[in-house]
Amino acid sequence: MTNQEILAQFGPREAMEYDVVVVGGGPGGLATAIRLKQLATEKGKDISVVVLEKGSEPGAHILSGAIMDPQALTELFPKWKEMGAPLNQPVTDDAWSFLGETSGFRTPNFLLPECAQNHGNYIISLGALTRWLAEQAENLGVEIFPGFAAAEVLYNDDGSVRGVATGNMGVGKDGEPTENFQLGMELLAKYTVFAEGARGHLGKQLIA
C-alpha cells in the first residue's frame, strides 16, 4: 500500500502543535533547541520546542571521537565545566609524522600550520557530549522524542513548511500494515528546523 492509501484507510493522523519542531537530535539540533529556550526565558516568555531523534536515544547514532574547540559550548553554557560537560581530556600535543618504508620523522611543532594546532581544545566522545546536551535541553523544558524518525515534510497551501510527520510503524516488508501497525504522527509548528546532518533525506528534498 502507498502512504496515501494507508492514510485513507487508517487516517487521519494524530497531530501535536509546537512553536518549534527540530528534526535531528545531534549537537546542532540540540544546541538550537537549548538556545531558543534560553532566549525565550531571557525575554520572560515560554515556547514549546520538540526534538525528533531517530536513534534509540540522543547520541545513539553518533559514534565519532572528535577534537572539539569549546568556544561554542562556552557561549551556550559559560559554566559548562561546573555543569559536568564531558570534556575531560585537553589536547596536550600536536604532531605530523612522515613515514617511509623503514623510518619516519616528526615535523617540528613550530612548522605546523595554525589549522593543525589544537591548544585549548579537547579530545571527546561526541556521543557522550550529545547525551549531555540532551539532558540540558530537557532540564530547560525541551521535549525529546527518541526512536521517532521524521519521514515526511508537511506543507501549507502556500508552499511553506508547516511541520513533519513521523514514519508509520508496523509495516511489513511487502508494504502492508501488520497487526502491530501504528500510524505516524504529525508534529506541526510555527517554525521547523532541519538538523538532520549532511545526509538528511528531508533536507535534501527541501533543497531540491
Side-chain angles (χ1 to χ4, degrees), residues 152-205:
E152 179 185 352
V153 182
L154 304 175
Y155 298 93
N156 291 306
D157 292 338
D158 64 0
S160 59
V161 174
R162 70 186 185 102
V164 295
T166 62
N168 301 324
M169 298 176 142
V171 178
K173 293 180 180 179
D174 57 0
E176 296 296 320
T178 68
E179 66 275 8
N180 298 317
F181 177 78
Q182 185 176 341
L183 200 60
M185 183 187 310
E186 294 185 354
L187 292 106
L188 310 178
K190 299 172 184 174
Y191 299 94
T192 304
V193 178
F194 292 86
E196 304 170 288
R199 297 172 183 254
H201 67 286
L202 295 187
K204 288 180 180 178
Q205 290 177 23

Short mmCIF file of all heavy atoms in Angstrom, two decimals, residues 152-205:
data_model
loop_
_atom_site.label_atom_id
_atom_site.label_comp_id
_atom_site.label_asym_id
_atom_site.label_seq_id
_atom_site.Cartn_x
_atom_site.Cartn_y
_atom_site.Cartn_z
N GLU A 152 8.37 12.63 6.57
CA GLU A 152 7.66 13.40 5.54
C GLU A 152 7.59 14.87 5.95
O GLU A 152 7.34 15.18 7.12
CB GLU A 152 6.24 12.83 5.39
CG GLU A 152 5.37 13.53 4.37
CD GLU A 152 3.95 12.99 4.37
OE1 GLU A 152 3.68 11.97 5.05
OE2 GLU A 152 3.09 13.59 3.69
N VAL A 153 7.83 15.75 5.00
CA VAL A 153 7.65 17.19 5.23
C VAL A 153 6.20 17.54 4.92
O VAL A 153 5.66 17.13 3.90
CB VAL A 153 8.59 18.03 4.35
CG1 VAL A 153 8.41 19.52 4.65
CG2 VAL A 153 10.04 17.62 4.56
N LEU A 154 5.58 18.29 5.81
CA LEU A 154 4.20 18.73 5.61
C LEU A 154 4.20 20.20 5.21
O LEU A 154 4.93 21.01 5.78
CB LEU A 154 3.39 18.54 6.89
CG LEU A 154 3.38 17.12 7.46
CD1 LEU A 154 2.65 17.08 8.80
CD2 LEU A 154 2.74 16.15 6.48
N TYR A 155 3.38 20.53 4.21
CA TYR A 155 3.37 21.88 3.66
C TYR A 155 2.01 22.54 3.82
O TYR A 155 0.97 21.88 3.81
CB TYR A 155 3.71 21.85 2.17
CG TYR A 155 5.09 21.32 1.86
CD1 TYR A 155 5.29 19.98 1.57
CD2 TYR A 155 6.21 22.17 1.86
CE1 TYR A 155 6.55 19.49 1.27
CE2 TYR A 155 7.47 21.69 1.57
CZ TYR A 155 7.63 20.35 1.28
OH TYR A 155 8.89 19.86 1.01
N ASN A 156 2.03 23.85 3.93
CA ASN A 156 0.81 24.64 3.84
C ASN A 156 0.45 24.82 2.36
O ASN A 156 1.24 24.52 1.46
CB ASN A 156 1.02 26.02 4.49
CG ASN A 156 1.17 25.92 6.00
OD1 ASN A 156 0.33 25.35 6.69
ND2 ASN A 156 2.26 26.47 6.52
N ASP A 157 -0.74 25.35 2.13
CA ASP A 157 -1.19 25.56 0.74
C ASP A 157 -0.29 26.52 -0.03
O ASP A 157 -0.17 26.43 -1.25
CB ASP A 157 -2.63 26.09 0.73
CG ASP A 157 -3.63 25.04 1.22
OD1 ASP A 157 -3.30 23.84 1.15
OD2 ASP A 157 -4.72 25.43 1.67
N ASP A 158 0.37 27.44 0.70
CA ASP A 158 1.23 28.41 0.02
C ASP A 158 2.65 27.88 -0.19
O ASP A 158 3.52 28.60 -0.68
CB ASP A 158 1.27 29.73 0.79
CG ASP A 158 1.89 29.58 2.19
OD1 ASP A 158 2.28 28.45 2.55
OD2 ASP A 158 1.96 30.59 2.91
N GLY A 159 2.89 26.62 0.16
CA GLY A 159 4.19 26.02 -0.06
C GLY A 159 5.14 26.11 1.12
O GLY A 159 6.22 25.52 1.09
N SER A 160 4.77 26.84 2.16
CA SER A 160 5.62 26.93 3.35
C SER A 160 5.51 25.65 4.17
O SER A 160 4.51 24.93 4.11
CB SER A 160 5.21 28.14 4.20
OG SER A 160 3.85 28.03 4.60
N VAL A 161 6.54 25.36 4.93
CA VAL A 161 6.57 24.15 5.75
C VAL A 161 5.72 24.35 7.00
O VAL A 161 5.86 25.37 7.69
CB VAL A 161 8.02 23.80 6.15
CG1 VAL A 161 8.04 22.62 7.13
CG2 VAL A 161 8.84 23.47 4.91
N ARG A 162 4.86 23.41 7.27
CA ARG A 162 4.03 23.50 8.49
C ARG A 162 4.39 22.47 9.53
O ARG A 162 3.82 22.44 10.61
CB ARG A 162 2.55 23.40 8.15
CG ARG A 162 2.06 22.04 7.68
CD ARG A 162 0.60 22.12 7.23
NE ARG A 162 0.05 20.81 6.88
CZ ARG A 162 -0.74 20.11 7.68
NH1 ARG A 162 -1.09 20.58 8.86
NH2 ARG A 162 -1.22 18.93 7.30
N GLY A 163 5.37 21.61 9.22
CA GLY A 163 5.80 20.60 10.18
C GLY A 163 6.27 19.35 9.48
O GLY A 163 6.58 19.36 8.28
N VAL A 164 6.33 18.26 10.24
CA VAL A 164 6.75 16.97 9.69
C VAL A 164 5.85 15.88 10.23
O VAL A 164 5.12 16.07 11.22
CB VAL A 164 8.23 16.65 10.07
CG1 VAL A 164 9.19 17.63 9.42
CG2 VAL A 164 8.40 16.60 11.58
N ALA A 165 5.91 14.73 9.57
CA ALA A 165 5.20 13.55 10.06
C ALA A 165 6.22 12.45 10.31
O ALA A 165 7.18 12.28 9.55
CB ALA A 165 4.16 13.08 9.03
N THR A 166 6.02 11.70 11.39
CA THR A 166 6.89 10.56 11.67
C THR A 166 6.44 9.38 10.82
O THR A 166 5.31 9.34 10.31
CB THR A 166 6.84 10.19 13.15
OG1 THR A 166 5.50 9.80 13.51
CG2 THR A 166 7.28 11.36 14.01
N GLY A 167 7.32 8.41 10.67
CA GLY A 167 7.00 7.24 9.85
C GLY A 167 6.00 6.32 10.52
O GLY A 167 5.87 6.27 11.75
N ASN A 168 5.25 5.58 9.69
CA ASN A 168 4.33 4.58 10.21
C ASN A 168 5.11 3.41 10.81
O ASN A 168 6.18 3.04 10.32
CB ASN A 168 3.41 4.06 9.10
CG ASN A 168 2.60 5.17 8.46
OD1 ASN A 168 2.18 6.10 9.14
ND2 ASN A 168 2.40 5.08 7.16
N MET A 169 4.58 2.80 11.84
CA MET A 169 5.22 1.65 12.47
C MET A 169 4.38 0.40 12.21
O MET A 169 3.17 0.49 12.04
CB MET A 169 5.39 1.87 13.98
CG MET A 169 6.27 3.05 14.34
SD MET A 169 6.32 3.31 16.11
CE MET A 169 8.00 3.76 16.33
N GLY A 170 5.07 -0.74 12.19
CA GLY A 170 4.34 -1.99 12.00
C GLY A 170 3.93 -2.24 10.57
O GLY A 170 2.85 -2.79 10.30
N VAL A 171 4.79 -1.83 9.62
CA VAL A 171 4.54 -2.10 8.20
C VAL A 171 5.46 -3.24 7.77
O VAL A 171 6.67 -3.20 8.02
CB VAL A 171 4.81 -0.85 7.34
CG1 VAL A 171 4.58 -1.16 5.85
CG2 VAL A 171 3.90 0.29 7.78
N GLY A 172 4.89 -4.27 7.13
CA GLY A 172 5.67 -5.43 6.71
C GLY A 172 6.56 -5.12 5.53
O GLY A 172 6.48 -4.05 4.90
N LYS A 173 7.45 -6.08 5.20
CA LYS A 173 8.36 -5.91 4.07
C LYS A 173 7.61 -5.74 2.76
O LYS A 173 8.13 -5.16 1.80
CB LYS A 173 9.30 -7.11 3.98
CG LYS A 173 10.28 -7.21 5.13
CD LYS A 173 11.18 -8.42 4.98
CE LYS A 173 12.17 -8.51 6.13
NZ LYS A 173 13.05 -9.71 6.01
N ASP A 174 6.38 -6.25 2.72
CA ASP A 174 5.58 -6.13 1.50
C ASP A 174 4.85 -4.80 1.41
O ASP A 174 4.09 -4.54 0.48
CB ASP A 174 4.57 -7.28 1.42
CG ASP A 174 3.64 -7.34 2.64
OD1 ASP A 174 3.79 -6.48 3.54
OD2 ASP A 174 2.79 -8.24 2.68
N GLY A 175 5.07 -3.93 2.42
CA GLY A 175 4.42 -2.64 2.43
C GLY A 175 3.03 -2.64 3.01
O GLY A 175 2.36 -1.60 3.04
N GLU A 176 2.58 -3.79 3.48
CA GLU A 176 1.22 -3.90 4.04
C GLU A 176 1.27 -3.76 5.56
O GLU A 176 2.21 -4.24 6.21
CB GLU A 176 0.61 -5.26 3.67
CG GLU A 176 0.41 -5.47 2.17
CD GLU A 176 -0.59 -4.49 1.58
OE1 GLU A 176 -1.62 -4.21 2.24
OE2 GLU A 176 -0.35 -4.00 0.46
N PRO A 177 0.26 -3.12 6.15
CA PRO A 177 0.21 -3.00 7.61
C PRO A 177 0.09 -4.36 8.28
O PRO A 177 -0.65 -5.23 7.79
CB PRO A 177 -1.04 -2.15 7.85
CG PRO A 177 -1.28 -1.43 6.56
CD PRO A 177 -0.82 -2.37 5.48
N THR A 178 0.82 -4.57 9.36
CA THR A 178 0.73 -5.81 10.13
C THR A 178 -0.21 -5.58 11.32
O THR A 178 -0.79 -4.50 11.49
CB THR A 178 2.11 -6.23 10.65
OG1 THR A 178 2.54 -5.27 11.63
CG2 THR A 178 3.12 -6.27 9.51
N GLU A 179 -0.34 -6.62 12.16
CA GLU A 179 -1.22 -6.49 13.33
C GLU A 179 -0.66 -5.48 14.34
O GLU A 179 -1.38 -5.02 15.23
CB GLU A 179 -1.42 -7.85 14.01
CG GLU A 179 -0.17 -8.45 14.63
CD GLU A 179 0.67 -9.23 13.64
OE1 GLU A 179 0.36 -9.18 12.42
OE2 GLU A 179 1.62 -9.89 14.07
N ASN A 180 0.63 -5.12 14.19
CA ASN A 180 1.24 -4.14 15.10
C ASN A 180 1.28 -2.74 14.49
O ASN A 180 2.02 -1.88 14.97
CB ASN A 180 2.67 -4.58 15.44
CG ASN A 180 2.71 -5.91 16.16
OD1 ASN A 180 1.91 -6.16 17.05
ND2 ASN A 180 3.64 -6.77 15.78
N PHE A 181 0.50 -2.53 13.45
CA PHE A 181 0.56 -1.26 12.73
C PHE A 181 0.17 -0.09 13.62
O PHE A 181 -0.76 -0.17 14.43
CB PHE A 181 -0.38 -1.29 11.51
CG PHE A 181 -0.41 0.03 10.77
CD1 PHE A 181 0.61 0.39 9.93
CD2 PHE A 181 -1.48 0.91 10.95
CE1 PHE A 181 0.59 1.60 9.26
CE2 PHE A 181 -1.51 2.12 10.28
CZ PHE A 181 -0.47 2.47 9.44
N GLN A 182 0.92 1.00 13.46
CA GLN A 182 0.62 2.25 14.16
C GLN A 182 0.89 3.40 13.22
O GLN A 182 1.99 3.52 12.66
CB GLN A 182 1.47 2.37 15.43
CG GLN A 182 1.11 3.57 16.27
CD GLN A 182 1.90 3.62 17.57
OE1 GLN A 182 2.46 2.62 18.01
NE2 GLN A 182 1.97 4.79 18.17
N LEU A 183 -0.09 4.23 13.04
CA LEU A 183 0.03 5.36 12.12
C LEU A 183 1.01 6.39 12.67
O LEU A 183 1.10 6.59 13.89
CB LEU A 183 -1.34 5.99 11.92
CG LEU A 183 -1.57 6.86 10.68
CD1 LEU A 183 -1.36 6.05 9.41
CD2 LEU A 183 -2.99 7.43 10.71
N GLY A 184 1.77 7.01 11.78
CA GLY A 184 2.69 8.07 12.19
C GLY A 184 1.95 9.26 12.75
O GLY A 184 0.72 9.37 12.68
N MET A 185 2.70 10.19 13.32
CA MET A 185 2.13 11.35 13.97
C MET A 185 2.59 12.62 13.26
O MET A 185 3.70 12.69 12.75
CB MET A 185 2.59 11.38 15.44
CG MET A 185 2.02 12.50 16.26
SD MET A 185 2.79 12.56 17.92
CE MET A 185 2.64 10.87 18.42
N GLU A 186 1.72 13.62 13.22
CA GLU A 186 2.08 14.91 12.65
C GLU A 186 2.54 15.84 13.77
O GLU A 186 1.86 15.96 14.80
CB GLU A 186 0.90 15.53 11.91
CG GLU A 186 0.48 14.75 10.68
CD GLU A 186 -0.61 15.45 9.88
OE1 GLU A 186 -1.12 16.49 10.36
OE2 GLU A 186 -0.96 14.95 8.79
N LEU A 187 3.68 16.48 13.58
CA LEU A 187 4.16 17.50 14.51
C LEU A 187 4.19 18.81 13.76
O LEU A 187 5.00 19.01 12.84
CB LEU A 187 5.54 17.12 15.05
CG LEU A 187 5.50 15.88 15.95
CD1 LEU A 187 6.07 14.68 15.21
CD2 LEU A 187 6.24 16.12 17.24
N LEU A 188 3.29 19.69 14.14
CA LEU A 188 3.10 20.96 13.43
C LEU A 188 3.72 22.09 14.25
O LEU A 188 3.70 22.08 15.48
CB LEU A 188 1.60 21.22 13.23
CG LEU A 188 0.81 20.05 12.62
CD1 LEU A 188 -0.67 20.41 12.51
CD2 LEU A 188 1.37 19.65 11.27
N ALA A 189 4.27 23.08 13.54
CA ALA A 189 4.97 24.14 14.26
C ALA A 189 4.97 25.44 13.47
O ALA A 189 4.81 25.44 12.24
CB ALA A 189 6.42 23.72 14.53
N LYS A 190 5.18 26.54 14.19
CA LYS A 190 5.37 27.82 13.53
C LYS A 190 6.69 27.82 12.76
O LYS A 190 6.81 28.42 11.70
CB LYS A 190 5.37 28.94 14.57
CG LYS A 190 4.06 29.06 15.35
CD LYS A 190 4.20 30.06 16.50
CE LYS A 190 2.93 30.10 17.34
NZ LYS A 190 3.09 30.95 18.54
N TYR A 191 7.68 27.14 13.33
CA TYR A 191 9.00 27.03 12.69
C TYR A 191 9.47 25.58 12.78
O TYR A 191 9.34 24.95 13.83
CB TYR A 191 10.03 27.94 13.38
CG TYR A 191 9.67 29.41 13.32
CD1 TYR A 191 8.99 30.02 14.36
CD2 TYR A 191 10.02 30.19 12.21
CE1 TYR A 191 8.65 31.36 14.31
CE2 TYR A 191 9.69 31.52 12.15
CZ TYR A 191 9.00 32.11 13.21
OH TYR A 191 8.67 33.44 13.15
N THR A 192 10.02 25.09 11.69
CA THR A 192 10.60 23.75 11.65
C THR A 192 12.07 23.87 11.28
O THR A 192 12.40 24.47 10.26
CB THR A 192 9.88 22.86 10.62
OG1 THR A 192 8.47 22.83 10.92
CG2 THR A 192 10.43 21.43 10.67
N VAL A 193 12.93 23.33 12.13
CA VAL A 193 14.38 23.38 11.92
C VAL A 193 14.85 21.99 11.51
O VAL A 193 14.61 21.01 12.21
CB VAL A 193 15.12 23.81 13.20
CG1 VAL A 193 16.62 23.83 12.97
CG2 VAL A 193 14.63 25.19 13.65
N PHE A 194 15.52 21.91 10.37
CA PHE A 194 16.03 20.63 9.88
C PHE A 194 17.51 20.54 10.23
O PHE A 194 18.34 21.24 9.65
CB PHE A 194 15.79 20.49 8.37
CG PHE A 194 14.34 20.38 8.02
CD1 PHE A 194 13.57 21.53 7.84
CD2 PHE A 194 13.72 19.15 7.92
CE1 PHE A 194 12.21 21.45 7.54
CE2 PHE A 194 12.37 19.06 7.62
CZ PHE A 194 11.61 20.20 7.44
N ALA A 195 17.82 19.66 11.18
CA ALA A 195 19.19 19.48 11.66
C ALA A 195 19.56 18.00 11.54
O ALA A 195 20.07 17.39 12.48
CB ALA A 195 19.31 19.96 13.11
N GLU A 196 19.30 17.45 10.36
CA GLU A 196 19.49 16.01 10.15
C GLU A 196 20.93 15.62 9.86
O GLU A 196 21.25 14.43 9.84
CB GLU A 196 18.66 15.54 8.95
CG GLU A 196 17.19 15.82 9.02
CD GLU A 196 16.54 15.52 7.69
OE1 GLU A 196 16.76 16.29 6.74
OE2 GLU A 196 15.84 14.50 7.59
N GLY A 197 21.78 16.60 9.60
CA GLY A 197 23.12 16.27 9.17
C GLY A 197 23.22 16.27 7.66
O GLY A 197 22.23 16.47 6.94
N ALA A 198 24.43 16.01 7.17
CA ALA A 198 24.71 16.16 5.74
C ALA A 198 23.92 15.17 4.88
O ALA A 198 23.70 15.41 3.70
CB ALA A 198 26.21 15.98 5.49
N ARG A 199 23.49 14.03 5.45
CA ARG A 199 22.80 13.02 4.66
C ARG A 199 21.29 13.00 4.91
O ARG A 199 20.63 12.02 4.57
CB ARG A 199 23.39 11.64 4.96
CG ARG A 199 24.85 11.53 4.55
CD ARG A 199 25.47 10.24 5.03
NE ARG A 199 26.88 10.18 4.69
CZ ARG A 199 27.39 9.42 3.74
NH1 ARG A 199 26.60 8.66 3.02
NH2 ARG A 199 28.68 9.42 3.50
N GLY A 200 20.77 14.02 5.53
CA GLY A 200 19.35 14.03 5.86
C GLY A 200 18.48 14.04 4.61
O GLY A 200 18.62 14.89 3.75
N HIS A 201 17.56 13.07 4.52
CA HIS A 201 16.77 12.95 3.30
C HIS A 201 15.71 14.03 3.20
O HIS A 201 15.37 14.46 2.09
CB HIS A 201 16.14 11.55 3.20
CG HIS A 201 15.09 11.25 4.21
ND1 HIS A 201 15.39 10.98 5.54
CD2 HIS A 201 13.75 11.16 4.10
CE1 HIS A 201 14.27 10.75 6.19
NE2 HIS A 201 13.26 10.86 5.37
N LEU A 202 15.16 14.51 4.31
CA LEU A 202 14.18 15.59 4.22
C LEU A 202 14.85 16.91 3.83
O LEU A 202 14.30 17.67 3.04
CB LEU A 202 13.45 15.74 5.55
CG LEU A 202 12.59 14.56 6.01
CD1 LEU A 202 11.80 14.93 7.27
CD2 LEU A 202 11.63 14.10 4.92
N GLY A 203 16.04 17.12 4.35
CA GLY A 203 16.78 18.32 3.95
C GLY A 203 17.09 18.32 2.47
O GLY A 203 17.00 19.35 1.80
N LYS A 204 17.46 17.16 1.94
CA LYS A 204 17.73 17.06 0.51
C LYS A 204 16.48 17.37 -0.32
O LYS A 204 16.56 18.03 -1.35
CB LYS A 204 18.24 15.66 0.18
CG LYS A 204 19.67 15.39 0.68
CD LYS A 204 20.12 13.97 0.30
CE LYS A 204 21.53 13.72 0.79
NZ LYS A 204 21.97 12.33 0.46
N GLN A 205 15.32 16.90 0.17
CA GLN A 205 14.08 17.20 -0.53
C GLN A 205 13.82 18.69 -0.57
O GLN A 205 13.44 19.26 -1.59
CB GLN A 205 12.90 16.48 0.16
CG GLN A 205 12.88 14.97 0.01
CD GLN A 205 11.74 14.34 0.76
OE1 GLN A 205 10.74 15.00 1.05
NE2 GLN A 205 11.88 13.09 1.13
#
